[in-house]
Amino acid sequence: MSEENIIFVGKKPTMNYVLAIVTQFNNSDMPRIVIKARGKAISKAVDIAEITKHKFIQTAKYESIKLDTETLEGENGPSNVSSIEIILAK
Amino acid sequence: MSEENIIFVGKKPTMNYVLAIVTQFNNSDMPRIVIKARGKAISKAVDIAEITKHKFIQTAKYESIKLDTETLEGENGPSNVSSIEIILAK
């Protein structure tokens, strides 16, 4: 069993992701959860991490926060999009 | 003279902020620039940092990336908003 779980943030409501993370932290031996997002979902990923940390799992800490740029192949050729990877550890 | 300069990301176009940062890095002795944003502007702050780093100042590094929650007083009482602080150092 992997020692981390990855949550990709997309178009669902913020609290859906928060509750998924809280459930995984509480019901498993996962010591850390990786939250990944691209483009406009980056703001939502930060909300998700902050709400999880402040309202649900106060012992959680940021193990690392990384920013990067990914190249996506689109209909009009490649385009660059920023990404974030937040590792939350309990 | 302060050893760092703070850029607050708001509603202006992304490239306005990028060019302001590049100009400050190139025309002054500032060893680092702090990029701050709240709420939906967080995604833009990450774009600004990544574009500055990849396209203009390739030697720049992330010195720290911090997430936080701030309480704002609004018309309907206090509300929480996520924030990011990115320190870019050359």
Side-chain angles (χ1 to χ4, degrees), chain A residues 39-40 43 47 50 68-69 82, chain B residues 39-40 43 47 50 68-69 82:
Chain A
K40 294 206 181 301
S43 302
D47 283 341
E50 281 290 303
D68 204 356
T69 298
S82 301
Chain B
K40 294 206 181 299
S43 302
D47 283 342
E50 281 290 303
D68 205 354
T69 299
S82 302

Side-chain angles (χ1 to χ4, degrees), chain A residues 5-44:
Chain A
N5 219 333
I6 301 175
I7 302 269
F8 290 95
V9 177
K11 293 188 184 299
K12 290 180 204 160
T14 301
M15 289 310 291
N16 288 31
Y17 298 101
V18 171
L19 294 178
I21 292 170
V22 172
T23 305
Q24 287 188 22
F25 263 143
N26 286 338
N27 294 346
S28 71
D29 292 330
M30 295 287 175
R32 61 179 58 77
I33 289 191
V34 183
I35 304 167
K36 290 189 180 207
R38 291 197 288 220
K40 294 206 181 301
I42 290 174
S43 302
K44 196 191 280 185

Side-chain angles (χ1 to χ4, degrees), chain B residues 22-85:
Chain B
V22 171
T23 304
Q24 287 188 23
F25 263 143
N26 286 338
N27 294 346
S28 70
D29 292 331
M30 296 287 176
R32 60 179 58 78
I33 288 191
V34 183
I35 304 167
K36 290 190 180 209
R38 290 198 289 219
K40 294 206 181 299
I42 290 174
S43 302
K44 195 190 279 186
V46 173
D47 283 342
I48 291 163
E50 281 290 303
I51 292 169
T52 302
K53 198 164 163 281
H54 288 283
K55 304 239 190 231
F56 293 98
I57 304 180
Q58 279 86 359
T59 55
K61 299 244 181 305
Y62 292 125
E63 195 170 273
S64 80
I65 301 166
K66 284 183 193 152
L67 309 182
D68 205 354
T69 299
E70 299 178 17
T71 303
L72 301 180
E73 294 298 329
E75 285 176 16
N76 306 312
S79 64
N80 288 331
V81 63
S82 302
S83 65
I84 195 166
E85 184 196 272

